[in-house]
Amino acid sequence: MSISHPLLVSAQDGDGAIPIRFVQAGGALDGASRRWGELHGFEGKAGQLLVVPGAGGEIAQVLGGSGAIFDPMSVRGLSARLPGGLYRLELAAQDAELATLAFLLGAYVFDRYKARPDKAAVRLVPPDGVDVAEVSRIAAACALAREMVDTPAADMGPLQIETIAREIAESAGATITVTTGDALLEENYPAVHAVGRAAAPHRAPRLIEIGWKLDRTDLPLVALVGKGVVFDTGGLDLKPAAGMRNMKKDMGGSAHALALGRLVMQADLPVRLVVIVAAVENAVSADAFRPGDVLNSRKGLTIEIGNTDAEGRLILADALTRAGEHEPDLTLDFATLTGAARVALGPELPPLYTDDETLAAGLLAAAGQVRDPLWRMPLWAGYRSALDTEIADLKNDPSAWAQAGSVTAALFLQKFAPTTGAWAHMDIFAWNPRARPGYPEGGEAQALRACFQYLRTQFC
C-alpha cells in the first residue's frame, strides 16, 4: 500500500496501534468498557468520545459515539481531540475511505505565522481497502485551497497566485499563459483590467490560464474558472471595517479552481482541462473604476457600474467568456461572490446554480456521496430584468426590488457562461466562522470534493 500522507501509517508498520471503534446510541459495551462508559456518561451519542485505559494506564481503545447512524465526517475531529499516538480505525468497508479522508481534513493546521505548542502527532492506520494515494491527494488539494485562503493578502497577491499556478502547471506538464497589467487591454480582458488597475504595480491584475491535454481532441473538455480577488476594499464604494476584515478570502474561488485542477491532473482523469483564474486587487486610488462608469467586456457586452463592490462578477465575465472560446463540454466556476448567499444558506451550505438538470442531479448526488454539501438554487428568470439599465447592456448591481442577491449575481454570470456545454456556478464562502474540533476558524474547502467526485464518476 502506497503511503503518501505523513499522518498515515501502513498496516505492516502499525503494530500496537490503538483501536478506534464507533458505538451507536444505546449500543452495548462489554466488560471494563461498559463500566468505564457508565462512569463517564458515554451513551454513544453523536460527538461523544471516550478514551478507555488499559490495566497499566495506557490507552487500550477509543470509543466514539455515532448516534443513530454513523457519519464518516465525524472522524474529522479526532486529531484535535485525541492525545498523540498511533491509532487504527475499525469501520465498515463502505465508510473506511471517507472516514480516513475526514481524519486528514481535520488534521489541517495553518502555522505559517504562529508557532504551535509541541504535541505528539496523532497518526492513523487506515482500514484495509482504502486507496491511500487518492485520499492523500484529495486532502492535499483541500489543504492547498485552505492555505491560500488563510494567507493574508500581503503574502497572497496576484503574483503569488500566479506562482502557485505555475508550480501546478509545471508539475503536471501543462501549459500556462499569464496576461498582466495593460496587456489585458491588448488581449481584450477589459473588465479584469478595470477592476484591478488601481492596485500597486507589483500587484497588477492578471488573467492566468492553464491548459492540459489540449491536443487530445478525443477527450471531453472541462473548464474550471475561479474568482481571484486577493483583497476587496469594495473600491470607491468602500466597505465598512467589519465587512473588510476577512476580505483576504475573496480569492477563495481561484484557490478552489487551482486545487481542483491540480487534483484532476494528478488523478490523470481522461479529460482535457482548462483552468482560468482572474487575479486582481480591488483597491482604491485615483485610477479606480467608478460608480456610473460603463465597462466593456470580452464578450462585447457593456456593463454599467452601479457599485464597485460588485466586482467579482466583472472579472468572472471576462474569464467565463474566455472559457467559452475553448468550447468546453463542462464549465464549473467557483467564487466567494455574494453575502446574500450566506443570508440564504449560511456559511456551511454553498448554493449551486445551473440550468442543466442532469448536471444538477449529478453534482448533488456526488455532494451527498462525499459529504461535501451543496444546495441547488434557482436561476429565476423573473429576476433577469433587474439587470437592465438604460445606457448599457446590463448593470453589475441588480435593482433593489429583486432582493435575491445571490440569484441575480448568478443570472449576471449566466450571460457570459459558455454555451457549448453544461455550466454550474458555486457561490462558496470558503471560510469556517467558528472553531470546533476538526474545523479551525479560517479557510475551508467547499464544493471541491463534490466536484471532483462528479468528474471522476462522470468521466471514468
Side-chain angles (χ1 to χ4, degrees):
M1 180 169 59
S2 173
I3 298 296
S4 301
H5 197 286
L7 295 182
L8 297 183
V9 176
S10 61
Q12 57 264 35
D13 296 325
D15 291 345
I18 301 164
I20 302 173
R21 63 188 183 93
F22 289 84
V23 180
Q24 284 188 324
L29 300 178
D30 53 10
S33 297
R34 182 182 65 186
R35 179 60 180 153
W36 192 252
E38 290 172 350
L39 287 172
H40 291 83
F42 182 82
E43 300 174 342
K45 294 179 180 178
Q48 285 190 312
L49 193 69
L50 182 67
V51 176
V52 181
E58 76 285 359
I59 300 176
Q61 64 174 319
V62 175
L63 302 177
S66 70
I69 300 175
F70 175 67
D71 178 7
M73 295 309 291
S74 65
V75 175
R76 187 163 168 163
L78 290 183
S79 180
R81 299 177 67 188
L82 288 175
L86 180 61
Y87 297 85
R88 182 181 69 251
L89 282 176
E90 296 186 352
L91 289 171
Q94 68 268 19
D95 296 322
E97 192 150 315
L98 188 53
T100 302
L101 174 59
F103 171 81
L104 297 181
L105 295 176
Y108 168 82
V109 175
F110 183 68
D111 56 4
R112 177 170 176 174
Y113 304 97
K114 181 178 179 180
R116 304 291 173 175
D118 289 337
K119 176 191 173 184
V122 177
R123 298 188 298 157
L124 190 71
V125 179
D128 292 339
V130 171
D131 186 340
V132 175
E134 178 85 338
V135 165
S136 298
R137 286 194 298 264
I138 296 171
C142 293
L144 172 62
R146 295 165 79 180
E147 287 167 3
M148 290 179 70
V149 171
D150 277 329
T151 302
D155 294 326
M156 187 56 65
L159 176 60
Q160 284 74 31
I161 291 179
E162 175 188 331
T163 300
I164 291 168
R166 288 190 181 278
E167 291 171 351
I168 290 171
E170 182 178 351
S171 65
T175 62
I176 182 169
T177 58
V178 181
T179 307
T180 305
D182 289 342
L184 290 164
L185 295 176
E186 299 169 10
E187 297 298 327
N188 193 24
Y189 296 104
V192 177
H193 181 270
V195 174
R197 71 191 185 203
H202 68 286
R203 296 172 71 84
R206 62 206 67 203
L207 194 289
I208 303 163
E209 181 174 319
I210 295 173
W212 182 67
K213 291 187 179 180
L214 295 185
D215 59 334
R216 290 287 308 275
T217 55
D218 57 311
L219 298 176
L221 177 61
V222 174
L224 306 177
V225 178
K227 170 190 170 184
V229 178
V230 298
F231 193 82
D232 182 17
T233 65
L236 292 177
D237 288 306
L238 198 68
K239 289 180 183 288
M244 209 185 298
R245 174 60 181 86
N246 284 330
M247 281 300 99
K248 68 176 185 178
K249 78 176 187 67
D250 212 20
M251 38 61 64
S254 66
H256 281 65
L258 289 170
L260 179 56
R262 187 179 76 171
L263 189 53
V264 168
M265 291 184 282
Q266 287 177 336
D268 198 23
L269 295 190
V271 298
R272 291 176 290 154
L273 181 68
V274 173
V275 182
I276 299 174
V277 166
V280 304
E281 180 166 24
N282 188 19
V284 178
S285 80
D287 197 28
F289 74 118
R290 297 164 287 267
D293 284 354
V294 174
L295 304 185
N296 291 317
S297 69
R298 186 176 182 86
K299 189 169 183 177
L301 296 176
T302 55
I303 306 167
E304 183 182 14
I305 303 304
N307 192 316
T308 61
D309 196 20
E311 84 298 331
R313 67 200 69 185
L314 300 174
I315 64 173
L316 285 173
D318 279 358
L320 285 167
T321 300
R322 173 57 184 154
E325 292 165 9
H326 289 280
E327 299 184 348
D329 299 284
L330 171 65
T331 302
L332 303 174
D333 83 63
F334 304 85
T336 52
L337 203 62
T338 67
R342 312 290 80 81
V343 174
L345 297 175
E348 298 176 12
L349 186 55
L352 159 70
Y353 292 93
T354 180
D355 58 0
D356 188 291
E357 298 297 326
T358 302
L359 176 58
L363 283 171
L364 292 174
Q369 290 164 8
V370 299
R371 309 298 201 279
D372 189 17
L374 288 167
W375 191 269
R376 190 182 183 189
M377 292 279 279
L379 288 161
W380 185 250
Y383 297 153
R384 287 198 181 111
S385 60
L387 301 173
D388 292 345
T389 178
E390 291 296 323
I391 67 169
D393 293 316
L394 70 165
K395 58 185 178 181
N396 76 326
D397 64 328
S399 299
W401 64 261
Q403 301 184 57
S406 181
V407 176
T408 51
L411 289 169
F412 181 99
L413 296 183
Q414 189 180 31
K415 290 180 175 290
F416 300 89
T419 58
T420 57
W423 161 73
H425 160 61
M426 271 70 65
D427 191 346
I428 60 174
F429 193 46
W431 192 260
N432 284 320
R434 62 182 177 119
R436 58 201 195 278
Y439 299 81
E441 181 180 350
E444 184 57 273
Q446 295 181 320
L448 194 162
R449 293 185 296 107
C451 289
F452 180 65
Q453 175 70 8
Y454 174 78
L455 292 174
R456 66 178 178 177
T457 300
Q458 181 74 10
F459 298 114
C460 291

